[in-house]
Amino acid sequence: MPSPVLSVIVPAYNEDAVLTAFHRRLAATLDRLGEPAEVLYVNDGSDDRTLAVVGRLRAADPRVAVLDLSRNFGKEIALTAGLHHARGEAVVVIDADLQDPPELILELVECWRRRRADIVYAQRRERAGETLSKRTTARLFYLLMQHVGRVHIPRDTGDFRLLSRRSVEALRDYPEHHRFMKGLFTWIGFEQVAIAYERDPRRAGASKLGWVKRINLAIEGITSFTAAPLRFASVLGLIIASAAFLMALYIVYKTIRYGDPVAGYPSLMTAILFLGGVQLTAIGILGEYLGRVFHETKRRPLYHVRDYRPAADPAVRHAERQDAG
Ligand code: UDP
Ligand code: MG
């Protein structure tokens, strides 16, 4: 069987409402591309009818491959599982919710060919249909990653991108469990090129990333790429300790000079509470990193596959299918 030029990886977690419409647009795009392609749906332990829907898509379109994970592992791992199973010369990663327009794949491929880029990422012009709070936190996060995380993650870029074979191979060498894919994509280097596009609001179903997941992802991103928060804790501790020392000197001086008419309860309370807070923060940061060490040293497999069904024939195009049927 010919191996495809292009693999499209679609992580899907409870996306049965949107998958059929998604695949219709994707298939039309691949028809226009006219190259052997596979579409790898990674079912990330959905508990709706996602698996049945992708099964139906595979029966109707020989380019469709299905990777069924044993449970929900989260998007980053689902993506990784997809990357491990993709066979194409170039691999496109795209969300199932139609926020990333599948039509843009043509441009991604064009750019990969013409400019010999290793990573072509799609950069949003604006975040349509997203709340102000989500936009601000996203912005804040990118800023933090850039200045504290020392990895320049391109702003307003999702996971939607094209990867060359060698960058997919490079990503295989990262065994870490705490994977922050957006960071890793940048981390591996090679030739990276941006393409601008308008992002649509989610078509159907709800965002699977609630606030808790979003905050987790941000902490994940920062702590997987830098130990700077640890330094921050030490520096803050040092500053506060020095301030406390100066204040002690001052108090001793004041007592000697003017005597001590008690009082001072409020300042005492403030100092104690403040220091308590700072200590808890510092311990929390330590714990965050310790937790990472704990998880990574277990060396557990990243995911388990319940079922993998490769594409029946990546070379088939829609037009030919119609001739045959
Ligand atoms: N997704 C997944 N596993 C999860 C959560 C999400 O595979 O645990 C998939 C989801 O089906 C979608 C993509 O990741 O294709 C992006 O998810 P979502 O649209 O909810 O994220 P957002 O666009 O809000 O960042
Ligand atoms: Mg989305």
Side-chain angles (χ1 to χ4, degrees), residues 156-170:
D156 289 336
T157 302
D159 290 323
F160 187 25
R161 66 189 70 211
L162 179 146
L163 302 138
S164 67
R165 185 40 41 196
R166 70 173 176 182
S167 40
V168 173
E169 297 299 331

Side-chain angles (χ1 to χ4, degrees), residues 11-13 15 44 72 74-75 78 95-97 99 134 199 202 206-209 213-214:
Y13 175 54
E15 300 284 5
D44 187 18
N72 179 251
K75 183 184 176 184
D95 285 359
D97 58 9
Q99 273 185 297
K134 193 178 161 185
R199 194 171 208 217
R202 191 175 232 288
S207 170
K208 307 301 178 299
L209 283 169
K213 273 197 182 177
R214 225 177 277 287

Side-chain angles (χ1 to χ4, degrees), residues 59-82:
D61 187 340
R63 292 172 298 196
V64 173
V66 177
L67 184 65
D68 187 21
L69 300 184
S70 61
R71 65 169 170 86
N72 179 251
F73 284 94
K75 183 184 176 184
E76 313 292 304
I77 302 263
L79 244 173
T80 308

Side-chain angles (χ1 to χ4, degrees), residues 134-177:
K134 193 178 161 185
R135 284 204 308 264
T136 357
T137 45
R139 173 129 311 166
L140 200 75
F141 172 69
Y142 285 119
L143 268 176
L144 218 63
M145 277 309 283
Q146 194 166 328
H147 293 290
V148 182
R150 294 207 202 125
V151 44
H152 179 93
I153 295 180
R155 191 178 286 186
D156 289 336
T157 302
D159 290 323
F160 187 25
R161 66 189 70 211
L162 179 146
L163 302 138
S164 67
R165 185 40 41 196
R166 70 173 176 182
S167 40
V168 173
E169 297 299 331
L171 283 172
R172 264 176 208 268
D173 295 337
Y174 290 74
E176 59 226 67
H177 279 247

Side-chain angles (χ1 to χ4, degrees), residues 11-308:
Y13 175 54
N14 294 348
E15 300 284 5
D16 62 356
V18 73
L19 271 174
T20 313
F22 170 82
H23 189 74
R24 202 175 309 121
R25 270 173 69 180
L26 179 61
T29 308
L30 294 180
D31 286 343
R32 268 174 49 211
L33 183 68
E35 308 245 21
E38 67 172 351
V39 183
L40 178 56
Y41 287 103
V42 183
N43 175 37
D44 187 18
S46 306
D47 34 46
D48 64 352
R49 298 187 28 80
T50 297
L51 187 62
V53 173
V54 292
R56 232 185 299 127
L57 293 177
R58 185 171 179 275
D61 187 340
R63 292 172 298 196
V64 173
V66 177
L67 184 65
D68 187 21
L69 300 184
S70 61
R71 65 169 170 86
N72 179 251
F73 284 94
K75 183 184 176 184
E76 313 292 304
I77 302 263
L79 244 173
T80 308
L83 287 174
H84 288 169
H85 287 80
R87 300 181 304 135
E89 273 313 301
V91 178
V92 166
V93 176
I94 186 171
D95 285 359
D97 58 9
L98 284 175
Q99 273 185 297
D100 310 324
E103 293 74 24
L104 201 72
I105 291 176
L106 295 177
E107 280 177 55
L108 295 180
V109 171
E110 229 268 303
C111 192
W112 165 63
R113 280 263 158 73
R114 191 167 35 88
R115 299 177 57 175
R116 306 194 155 273
D118 284 285
I119 292 189
V120 188
Y121 56 88
Q123 197 159 34
R124 302 186 273 274
R125 266 202 211 97
E126 59 192 55
R127 294 180 149 235
E130 287 185 350
T131 56
L132 183 71
S133 65
K134 193 178 161 185
R135 284 204 308 264
T136 357
T137 45
R139 173 129 311 166
L140 200 75
F141 172 69
Y142 285 119
L143 268 176
L144 218 63
M145 277 309 283
Q146 194 166 328
H147 293 290
V148 182
R150 294 207 202 125
V151 44
H152 179 93
I153 295 180
R155 191 178 286 186
D156 289 336
T157 302
D159 290 323
F160 187 25
R161 66 189 70 211
L162 179 146
L163 302 138
S164 67
R165 185 40 41 196
R166 70 173 176 182
S167 40
V168 173
E169 297 299 331
L171 283 172
R172 264 176 208 268
D173 295 337
Y174 290 74
E176 59 226 67
H177 279 247
H178 289 271
R179 332 176 54 82
F180 178 65
M181 294 308 285
K182 259 194 254 190
L184 286 183
F185 288 145
T186 315
W187 189 258
I188 59 170
F190 296 123
E191 275 60 68
Q192 313 217 356
V193 177
I195 278 186
Y197 78 109
E198 314 283 343
R199 194 171 208 217
D200 302 327
R202 191 175 232 288
R203 192 54 66 87
S207 170
K208 307 301 178 299
L209 283 169
W211 275 105
V212 177
K213 273 197 182 177
R214 225 177 277 287
I215 292 171
N216 282 341
L217 196 65
I219 294 181
E220 199 88 344
I222 289 165
T223 48
S224 329
F225 277 92
T226 172
L230 285 176
R231 169 115 9 112
F232 167 76
S234 338
V235 170
L236 191 65
L238 215 65
I239 292 175
I240 288 170
S242 330
F245 180 69
L246 291 179
M247 198 172 133
L249 285 183
Y250 169 68
I251 289 173
V252 169
Y253 166 77
K254 207 175 81 168
T255 317
I256 293 173
R257 183 92 193 259
Y258 304 106
D260 187 15
V262 187
Y265 175 73
S267 56
L268 197 65
M269 250 350 239
T270 318
I272 289 176
L273 289 181
F274 180 63
L275 275 181
V278 170
Q279 278 168 2
L280 277 183
T281 312
I283 293 173
I285 295 174
L286 274 180
E288 204 52 58
Y289 284 95
L290 191 62
R292 260 155 195 61
V293 174
F294 168 67
H295 281 300
E296 301 295 348
T297 47
K298 280 186 293 189
R299 304 210 135 270
R300 287 188 181 166
L302 282 178
Y303 56 87
H304 293 292
V305 173
R306 185 181 290 139
D307 189 19
Y308 171 55

